[in-house]
Amino acid sequence: MARGEVRILEPGLAELVGEGLAAGRLEFAVGSAAAVAEAEVVFLCVPTPMGSGGAADLAAVESVVAEVGELLPAGCVLVCKSTVPVGTSARVAELVGRADVAVVSNPEFLREGSAVHDFLNPDRIVVGSDSQDAAERVAALYARLGAPTVLTDAASAEMVKYAANCFLATKLSYVNAVAELCERLGADIADVTEGMGFDRRIGQSFLQPGPGWGGSCLPKDTAALMRVAESVEFEFGLLRETIAANARQRERMVDKVAEACGVGAGASLRGVRLGLLGLTFKAGTDDLRDSPAMAVAGLLAARGAELVAYDPGLRGDEPGVAELVTLVDDPYQAAKGAAGLVVLTEWQEFRTVDWTRVAGLLEGPVVVDTRNHLDPDVLRRAGLSWRGVGRTPVTP
């Protein structure tokens, strides 16, 4: 890291790190907590993965706080950027146990694949603390970005992050349900969501149906908020159904693939070879955490399917991939001899595939597009059947 080498796939990050190192504005002190001794503001940016029963695992937060607590200089502000349950800032303040160090909640709202852009162009800045002075000091760090700033108490700031992510998950589960209804009624989800999106109360984001939502945030944050709700005896039925609907959506994609291959929904796929396009949870990243694509692949494998996959974001050494699929170097190898091709991640390069060549390689001339990412007419002209989500199938 000290050499500016960034292994994760995040556009602009390697350049930003390199520039910071070259200018002397950035340095790394791996494994040395003493680096905080002269800091005015210390940001805690550690993972809070899903723990036992779905609750957020705060082990990393508590470990770092224990390590740096006594080293923080008087007047320092300790800022929690990690997504943490309501009440964590108060817990951190207790662990630090120092009246001369203020604790502030400052949740991040970055999207993987566009994190650098999102950080420099935020929709809003949220800062929460029981110390007004500390909150204003942290807010001032972002002043040059010109974003709307919400100054509040720590508990409310922590709640903002969960409330936002859980709302987005609910919106996605809703549009996936509407897409299924469109299939049954003969409506087109693309036209439906276009009409919805022009309503400023709704907006056009997070209205794309797919194989379910996933990634490093939404699954763990919905589970964590459910546990928080249960801790205060609140039955969050809407959120519970949002999570359940997401699990059903993945099963529905598997049934869609089975039907497209002619074996029928719920039937075994033993001996059926399938090509998969995409395994990461979204295009532009190499992140497989709670990937809906991997979840669908796992369900297909559980029904006996033989899976061959291509994803431009993967190196081939990612844990768990080789045990599930055979990873190949291009879409054509994935298509060769397959009973069908399944698009699971919306990589832009999939739009420019030579689909006539693909048609000649496939044993079954069908593409199941779980992202509605491809142009159905292009595939039809290539002699392929296209099946999307919430849309009428297109055949040659």
Side-chain angles (χ1 to χ4, degrees):
M1 179 63 81
R3 295 191 300 271
E5 297 176 0
V6 178
R7 282 187 58 114
I8 62 173
L9 183 59
E10 190 61 63
L13 182 58
E15 293 80 2
L16 197 62
V17 169
E19 292 170 6
L21 289 170
R25 297 191 306 270
L26 177 65
E27 61 181 275
F28 295 91
V30 180
S32 176
V36 306
E38 297 181 3
E40 296 179 43
V41 180
V42 173
F43 286 87
L44 296 180
C45 309
V46 296
T48 52
M50 191 185 303
S52 177
D57 183 350
L58 300 179
V61 173
E62 294 177 353
S63 175
V64 171
V65 171
E67 189 174 2
V68 305
E70 295 183 358
L71 300 174
L72 298 170
C76 179
V77 178
L78 187 59
V79 184
C80 190
K81 291 291 291 183
S82 303
T83 302
V84 294
V86 175
T88 301
S89 292
R91 170 63 176 157
V92 168
E94 290 178 3
L95 292 173
V96 174
R98 293 176 53 182
D100 60 347
V101 173
V103 177
V104 170
S105 174
N106 175 218
E108 57 85 7
F109 300 95
L110 309 181
R111 298 168 298 169
E112 287 189 56
S114 58
V116 173
H117 176 272
D118 291 350
F119 182 86
L120 297 175
N121 302 273
D123 292 328
R124 76 291 205 192
I125 303 296
V126 177
V127 182
S129 178
D130 297 333
S131 167
Q132 183 73 14
D133 176 68
E136 291 177 354
R137 284 175 61 189
V138 173
L141 299 174
Y142 299 97
R144 291 177 58 187
L145 299 178
T149 300
V150 178
L151 290 178
T152 183
D153 58 90
S156 297
E158 291 164 342
M159 189 64 182
V160 167
K161 175 69 175 190
Y162 280 110
N165 276 358
C166 291
F167 177 81
L168 295 177
T170 301
K171 193 174 182 182
L172 287 170
S173 283
Y174 175 78
V175 78
N176 281 335
V178 173
E180 182 175 1
L181 192 58
C182 284
E183 290 179 11
R184 298 189 183 198
L185 297 175
D188 190 313
I189 190 64
D191 293 340
V192 171
T193 54
E194 181 182 15
M196 291 170 61
F198 282 114
D199 187 326
R200 287 175 294 180
R201 297 168 301 174
I202 298 173
Q204 297 186 7
S205 64
F206 284 74
L207 284 182
Q208 293 73 39
W213 41 266
S216 62
C217 293
L218 298 190
K220 75 178 184 68
D221 291 352
T222 50
L225 191 57
M226 281 299 303
R227 299 294 83 76
V228 168
E230 290 170 359
S231 73
V232 291
E233 299 181 349
F234 174 68
E235 173 50 43
F236 206 153
L238 177 60
L239 185 56
R240 189 181 301 279
E241 179 54 31
T242 290
I243 297 169
N246 194 51
R248 289 196 300 272
Q249 183 69 2
R250 297 171 180 187
E251 292 280 2
R252 196 170 86 84
M253 294 303 100
V254 174
D255 283 338
K256 185 179 287 288
V257 172
E259 289 175 343
C261 293
V263 300
S268 170
L269 289 166
R270 188 166 302 282
V272 177
R273 180 185 176 93
L274 295 171
L276 308 181
L277 295 185
L279 291 173
T280 55
F281 94 92
K282 64 181 286 189
T285 81
D286 55 359
D287 197 344
L288 294 169
R289 289 175 292 177
D290 279 301
S291 167
M294 287 289 285
V296 171
L299 292 171
L300 289 169
R303 290 203 194 179
E306 176 190 344
L307 306 177
V308 181
Y310 167 68
D311 191 299
L314 300 183
R315 299 180 300 274
D317 59 352
E318 292 81 6
V321 173
E323 293 81 0
L324 183 63
V325 304
T326 298
L327 203 62
V328 293
D329 295 329
D330 61 54
Y332 308 105
Q333 293 179 61
K336 187 175 181 180
L341 201 58
V342 186
V343 179
L344 292 170
T345 311
E346 72 284 13
W347 286 95
Q348 187 62 30
E349 73 172 69
F350 295 160
R351 293 180 182 270
T352 59
V353 165
D354 183 342
W355 289 104
T356 300
R357 179 182 173 187
V358 167
L361 293 168
L362 283 170
E363 196 165 292
V366 62
V367 175
V368 178
D369 185 357
T370 70
R371 299 280 186 169
N372 290 348
H373 182 57
L374 307 176
D375 185 336
D377 287 333
V378 171
L379 272 68
R380 178 184 56 78
R381 290 195 294 270
L384 293 166
S385 295
W386 176 89
R387 298 197 181 194
V389 179
R391 304 189 67 186
T392 301
V394 174
T395 57

